[in-house]
């Protein structure tokens, strides 16, 4: 299983981070699936997760994860467990690893290198529209006295503007500069959720040089799981960040 890493975050030796991939064997849409909530054998999922954690060299298995609901609800956590009805996790604890589940939605992982805070955000179009990324930065700054200029963010592989067609009901909620025309006949447009999230990071005070955007599109690159592409047969990937 290949792991997608951020160049910016890789500079910090105390940071453990990565986003899993489906891999390059395309025999099954569930290859390297890390979610128990899809139609996959729990034993295989468990093995896949073990491999993911091993590859990341997660030392302890103190994992905080979410039951995600496409909200803009953010929670600060101090111990492992599954937290219901949130879409962003924040912690100042070492050896507590934040994990979110994705297949097209935008994962954003954030590190405050000055105060040692990490965050993981799940931002689909609804969460993006509700400014979950902007709100997460505000949350970190209020709770931990962080300065946005000290934050580093990685926007991971996600449904991208090359493929992510949305209906007018969706794109009309976003600034037109964040979507592009498909053709003159179609009412649909391609929506650029990565850029909307990047602009939320900038609006909240992050420096452009501290924001990295993955080039990968989960829909057209089969190396990734995509709900849009594989629908109910799709597996899920994990984005993880924590501090040793
Ligand atoms: Zn694409």
């Amino acid at each position: 299983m290949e792991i997608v890493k951020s160049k910016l975050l890789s500079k910090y030796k105390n940071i453990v981070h990565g986003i899993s991939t489906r891999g390059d064997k395309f025999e099954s849409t569930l290859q390297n699936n890390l979610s128990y909530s899809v139609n996959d054998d729990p034993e295989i999922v468990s093995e896949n997760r073990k491999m993911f954690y091993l590859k990341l060299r997660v030392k302890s298995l103190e994992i905080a994860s979410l039951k995600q609901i496409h909200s803009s609800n953010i929670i600060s956590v101090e111990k492992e467990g599954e937290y219901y009805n949130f879409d962003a996790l924040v912690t100042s604890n070492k050896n507590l690893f934040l994990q979110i589940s994705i297949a097209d939605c935008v994962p954003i992982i954030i590190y405050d290198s000055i105060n040692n805070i990490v965050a993981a955000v799940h931002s689909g179009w609804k969460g993006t529209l509700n400014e979950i990324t902007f709100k997460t930065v505000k949350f970190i700054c209020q709770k931990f006295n962080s300065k946005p200029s000290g934050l580093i963010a990685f926007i991971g592989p996600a449904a991208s503007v090359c493929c992510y067609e949305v209906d007018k009901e969706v794109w009309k909620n976003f600034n037109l500069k964040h979507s592009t025309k498909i053709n003159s006949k179609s009412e649909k447009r391609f929506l650029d959720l990565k850029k909307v999230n990047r602009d939320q990071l900038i609006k909240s005070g992050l420096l452009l040089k501290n924001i990295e955007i993955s080039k990968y599109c989960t829909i057209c690159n089969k190396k990734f799981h995509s709900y849009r592409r594989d629908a109910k047969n799709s597996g899920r990937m994990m984005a993880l960040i924590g501090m040793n």
Side-chain angles (χ1 to χ4, degrees):
M1 183 196 299
E2 185 189 330
I3 308 282
V4 174
K5 294 262 194 185
S6 148
K7 277 188 191 139
L8 286 178
L9 292 171
S10 296
K11 289 180 193 163
Y12 299 92
K13 297 298 165 224
N14 61 322
I15 287 289
V16 173
H17 82 283
I19 295 168
S20 74
T21 58
R22 178 183 165 208
D24 48 17
K25 287 183 200 153
F26 302 130
E27 297 143 13
S28 153
T29 55
L30 291 172
Q31 191 85 35
N32 290 332
N33 163 52
L34 297 183
S35 171
Y36 293 108
S37 325
V38 299
N39 190 20
D40 198 357
D41 179 343
E43 279 183 27
I44 295 174
V45 177
S46 177
E47 285 305 310
N48 291 345
R49 283 193 179 199
K50 264 188 212 161
M51 183 169 59
F52 178 56
Y53 299 138
L54 196 70
K55 286 226 167 198
L56 285 178
R57 298 207 197 113
V58 172
K59 282 181 192 159
S60 95
L61 276 182
E62 301 272 303
I63 306 280
S65 62
L66 292 174
K67 263 272 187 284
Q68 301 161 180
I69 55 163
H70 296 278
S71 69
S72 60
N73 301 339
I74 304 152
I75 184 169
S76 172
V77 295
E78 293 185 359
K79 60 179 168 60
E80 64 175 314
E82 189 173 30
Y83 296 86
Y84 281 62
N85 303 334
F86 293 94
D87 286 273
L89 287 157
V90 180
T91 193
S92 60
N93 284 27
K94 284 183 181 176
N95 298 312
L96 177 59
F97 300 93
L98 310 179
Q99 174 177 285
I100 56 163
S101 171
I102 36 164
D104 292 338
C105 287
V106 187
I108 299 109
I109 50 178
I110 301 171
Y111 174 46
D112 175 352
S113 61
I114 296 154
N115 299 299
N116 283 311
I117 314 293
V118 286
V121 183
H122 163 254
S123 189
W125 76 262
K126 286 181 188 158
T128 303
L129 188 61
N130 287 316
E131 301 203 296
I132 187 168
T133 300
F134 176 76
K135 288 174 185 168
T136 302
V137 174
K138 287 279 163 229
F139 181 96
I140 295 170
C141 293
Q142 274 163 14
K143 187 167 174 66
F144 301 101
N145 267 328
S146 296
K147 288 211 170 62
S149 57
L151 305 191
I152 320 279
F154 178 53
I155 297 171
S160 302
V161 70
C162 44
C163 297
Y164 188 48
E165 281 184 32
V166 295
D167 292 325
K168 190 175 180 183
E169 286 310 299
V170 174
W171 63 253
K172 72 176 187 190
N173 300 294
F174 294 87
N175 190 316
L176 265 190
K177 73 175 181 186
H178 288 130
S179 64
T180 56
K181 254 191 168 166
I182 292 173
N183 58 51
S184 53
K185 287 179 197 150
S186 181
E187 275 252 299
K188 293 185 177 192
R189 289 175 72 91
F190 290 122
L191 181 61
D192 194 340
L193 286 182
K194 287 174 176 167
K195 272 208 179 125
V196 186
N197 282 283
R198 181 201 65 182
D199 286 357
Q200 286 179 26
L201 291 168
I202 292 167
K203 182 174 129 185
S204 63
L206 268 80
L207 306 176
L208 196 55
K209 70 177 170 78
N210 290 336
I211 302 170
E212 179 181 349
I213 306 179
S214 166
K215 61 177 189 264
Y216 295 122
C217 169
T218 49
I219 299 175
C220 60
N221 190 327
K222 283 189 166 184
K223 185 162 79 171
F224 300 96
H225 290 295
S226 167
Y227 187 78
R228 179 63 72 97
R229 191 185 60 230
D230 298 325
K232 64 180 190 349
N233 299 318
S234 166
R236 299 288 184 277
M237 304 170 290
M238 294 289 188
L240 180 144
I241 186 165
M243 296 173 285
N244 274 327

